[in-house]
């Protein structure tokens, strides 16, 4: 750690308080970004393999230009008439299947999920909410109730219920495929019954369709159908949190729910939406939107303001015009082949999975018992950072390397990632 890093850490602790979340044991002091690259204050260059906020690449000129031009023309409260938000919502909803054709724009994914929960209550008249037990949907008081991994002070409200996060490497009930899907659906039914006993009929199941924070298990299209059928039969709706897998990242489909093969009632969006400018959103049907608008008086001072709408529209156009979803598919497949070839030599790699430019590898101490190599995964991520490659680790056991670069990631970038990982896996002792 450089003296400069320590000075900034001390200043942060003094000004922002303790425990402010940072990546890496030796945090990176970034000063500049371009495309897939970042530079620190000492002039070191890093390949960004993790940051899904600069979706179309750091400081993409079209997004920079859109923000600068609109900021120089007008930016204001959203309670005036302006075409910006309409042009964006038109372009955005054209990527969704009917009836998902209306939207609310927010500033964060947390707000979007908070609204989605209220939509579920408004349209069903019910209050029960089911999420997985290893997820994150944001940080408002309501949404933080969904984080089983970070219990809220005062405990969970009795309208919240949790089902085991899907794990394709260690499937619930022991078998994969449809048996795993039915075991998940049975867990959902169990929680619907438990909620009913506590006086709550089901309002919604909220899930990331790619189970990103859960470690992105490999699940075939239609895997969620039995669970969704049970939710709908109980009078609930399905909320798809697309904050991580959306906007073409998965390579095969523009949205995670399209890849997963189901139609949600409400979709929530965030992180990559405006390439770093704070934009989130909720997309739903006109019926659900009307139920929400009739039940709640809602406005958002900044959400969808002219600059935010311009940034979001430019980002969406770049994804489409530059064929970035196709790039995600081609380069993602190539990089995963590279990871599989590493797995042939490095026995710490228990499972390689992912789609498009959202992929990774689960680290284990032994392949027979599949014992999670959690401390090892952390050491690998920290050593990669020292070698100029930024990635991270997560999953149910926090032992899965998570790779999620900006979409203009190239074959050469993938080669550099795999070659560096090869060396770091060879040098890092599996046991501490
Ligand atoms: N949903 C998911 C799946 C997320 O990963 C996150 C942020 N990591 C959020 C919601 C919250 O988004 P924000 O930080 O913009 O509030």
């Amino acid at each position: 750690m450089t003296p400069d890093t320590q000075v900034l850490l001390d200043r942060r602790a003094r000004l922002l308080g303790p425990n402010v979340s940072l990546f890496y044991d030796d945090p990176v002091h970034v000063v500049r970004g371009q495309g897939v690259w970042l530079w620190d204050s000492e002039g070191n260059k890093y390949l960004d393999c993790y940051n899904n906020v600069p979706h179309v690449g750091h400081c993409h000129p079209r997004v920079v230009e859109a923000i600068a031009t609109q900021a120089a023309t007008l930016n204001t409260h959203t309670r005036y008439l302006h075409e910006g938000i309409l042009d964006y919502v038109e372009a955005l909803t054209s990527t969704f299947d009917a009836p998902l054709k209306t939207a609310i724009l927010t500033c964060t994914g947390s707000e979007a999920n908070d609204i989605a929960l209220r939509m579920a209550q408004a349209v069903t008249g019910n209050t029960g909410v089911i999420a997985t037990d290893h997820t994150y949907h944001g940080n408002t008081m309501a949404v933080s109730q969904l984080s089983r991994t970070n219990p809220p002070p005062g405990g969970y409200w009795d309208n919240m219920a949790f089902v085991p996060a899907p794990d394709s490497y260690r499937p619930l009930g022991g078998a994969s495929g449809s048996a795993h899907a039915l075991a998940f659906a049975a867990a959902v039914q169990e929680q619907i019954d438990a909620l009913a006993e506590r006086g709550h009929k089901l309002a919604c199941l909220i899930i990331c369709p790619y189970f990103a924070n859960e470690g992105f298990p490999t699940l075939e299209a239609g895997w969620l159908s039995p669970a969704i059928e049970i939710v709908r039969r109980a009078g609930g709706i399905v909320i798809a949190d697309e904050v991580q897998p959306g906007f073409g990242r998965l390579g095969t489909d523009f949205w995670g729910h399209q890849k997963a093969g189901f139609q949600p009632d409400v979709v929530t969006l965030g992180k990559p939406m405006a390439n770093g400018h704070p934009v989130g959103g909720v997309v739903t049907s006109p019926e659900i939107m009307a139920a929400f608008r009739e039940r709640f008086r809602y406005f958002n001072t900044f959400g969808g303001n002219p600059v935010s709408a311009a940034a979001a529209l430019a980002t969406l156009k770049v994804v489409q015009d530059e064929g970035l979803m196709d790039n995600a598919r081609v380069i993602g497949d190539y990089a995963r082949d590279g990871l599989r070839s590493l797995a042939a030599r490095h026995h710490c790699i228990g499972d390689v999975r992912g789609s498009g430019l959202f992929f990774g590898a689960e680290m284990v101490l032994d392949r027979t018992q599949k014992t999670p190599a959690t401390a090892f995964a952390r050491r690998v991520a920290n050593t990669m950072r020292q070698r100029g490659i930024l990635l991270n680790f997560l999953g149910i056991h926090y032992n899965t390397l998570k790779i999620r670069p900006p979409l203009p990631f190239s074959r050469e970038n993938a080669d550099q990632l795999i070659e560096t990982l090869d060396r770091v896996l060879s040098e890092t002792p599996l046991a501490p």
Side-chain angles (χ1 to χ4, degrees):
M1 194 178 292
T2 64
D4 158 81
T5 308
Q6 195 55 58
V7 168
L8 280 186
L9 284 175
D10 293 344
R11 210 169 143 212
R12 278 172 74 92
R14 183 162 41 82
L15 294 169
L16 309 181
N19 286 332
V20 182
S21 184
L22 278 168
F23 293 138
Y24 311 114
D25 295 343
D26 181 4
V28 189
H29 176 193
V30 283
V31 293
R32 190 162 73 84
Q34 190 174 46
V36 296
W37 301 103
L38 284 167
W39 285 264
D40 71 13
S41 56
E42 314 241 292
N44 299 309
K45 189 176 176 185
Y46 299 83
L47 181 62
D48 188 351
C49 298
Y50 187 68
N51 204 337
N52 68 333
V53 167
H55 194 58
V56 298
H58 290 275
C59 302
H60 191 289
R62 275 179 68 186
V63 181
V64 172
E65 163 74 20
I67 291 173
T69 305
Q70 187 56 50
T73 309
L74 170 75
N75 199 26
T76 183
H77 197 293
T78 55
R79 286 195 286 175
Y80 294 98
L81 294 177
H82 194 270
E83 288 90 348
I85 187 168
L86 304 177
D87 292 346
Y88 179 62
V89 170
E90 236 160 40
L92 175 70
T93 54
S94 74
T95 65
F96 286 90
D97 300 321
L100 301 176
K101 296 293 175 188
T102 61
I104 292 176
L105 296 188
T106 64
C107 308
T108 65
S110 301
E111 280 177 273
N113 282 322
D114 202 284
I115 292 169
L117 295 181
R118 292 207 274 167
M119 282 179 170
Q121 290 188 352
V123 74
T124 65
N126 301 338
T127 45
V129 177
I130 299 179
T132 78
D133 63 2
H134 194 93
T135 190
Y136 178 79
H137 291 292
N139 57 21
T140 70
M141 186 177 262
V143 165
S144 59
Q145 284 282 324
L146 303 172
S147 285
R148 201 67 186 171
T149 51
N150 191 11
Y156 292 95
W157 301 335
D158 66 2
N159 62 327
M160 300 291 167
F162 299 91
V163 289
D167 180 347
S168 54
Y169 191 45
R170 302 174 192 79
L172 186 63
S176 53
S178 60
H180 185 204
L182 292 174
F184 183 75
V188 169
Q189 182 64 59
E190 222 172 87
Q191 290 310 314
I192 291 172
D193 297 342
L195 281 167
E197 270 174 34
R198 302 202 290 269
H200 296 285
K201 285 194 187 154
L202 187 67
C204 62
L205 170 71
I206 177 167
I207 39 157
C208 165
Y210 190 59
F211 298 102
N213 288 317
E214 292 90 331
F216 47 93
T218 309
L219 304 169
E220 59 276 19
W223 188 89
L224 274 163
S225 302
I228 288 174
E229 209 183 300
I230 284 173
V231 167
R232 297 223 161 104
R233 214 184 306 137
I237 66 164
V238 178
I239 299 170
D241 178 339
E242 294 270 3
V243 165
Q244 295 206 37
F247 291 98
R249 173 164 295 281
L250 300 184
T252 52
D253 299 84
F254 206 74
W255 299 108
H257 66 267
Q258 291 167 344
K259 184 177 182 76
F262 74 95
Q263 172 78 339
D265 302 290
V266 178
V267 177
T268 58
L269 310 169
K271 278 185 167 167
M273 199 164 176
N275 216 43
H277 192 83
V279 179
V282 190
V283 176
T284 191
S285 63
E287 289 72 22
I288 294 179
M289 185 63 82
F292 174 77
R293 295 280 192 196
E294 277 156 21
R295 175 68 185 72
F296 298 100
R297 181 180 169 272
Y298 181 87
F299 75 91
N300 189 316
T301 301
F302 298 122
N305 69 65
V307 172
S308 295
L313 184 62
T315 305
L316 180 60
K317 293 274 178 232
V318 172
V319 174
Q320 292 168 335
D321 295 352
E322 297 187 4
L324 292 181
M325 184 167 105
D326 285 344
N327 188 64
R329 192 186 62 254
V330 173
I331 305 301
D333 284 349
Y334 176 73
R336 254 181 317 284
D337 283 347
L339 273 184
R340 281 193 203 96
S341 71
L342 292 189
R345 282 180 289 115
H346 296 281
H347 290 245
C348 56
I349 298 183
D351 194 29
V352 172
R353 52 182 185 257
S355 179
L357 283 170
F358 197 147
F359 59 98
E362 181 153 348
M363 299 291 155
V364 290
L365 295 177
D366 64 285
R367 283 182 178 171
T368 327
Q369 299 297 319
K370 303 181 178 176
T371 315
T374 304
F376 175 75
R378 184 192 173 98
R379 282 199 299 278
V380 168
N382 278 295
T383 311
M384 291 292 282
R385 172 254 178 266
Q386 297 298 346
R387 304 290 161 80
I389 307 274
L390 302 180
L391 47 70
N392 224 317
F393 60 96
L394 56 28
I396 296 169
H397 308 284
Y398 297 99
N399 63 328
T400 301
L401 293 184
K402 181 181 185 187
I403 302 167
R404 203 186 44 178
L407 295 197
F409 206 64
S410 70
R411 211 168 269 266
E412 295 71 44
N413 300 147
D415 287 338
Q416 186 182 344
L417 161 69
I418 298 297
E419 282 159 24
T420 312
L421 187 59
D422 191 9
R423 283 199 298 280
V424 168
L425 290 179
S426 302
E427 291 163 16
T428 311
L430 192 53

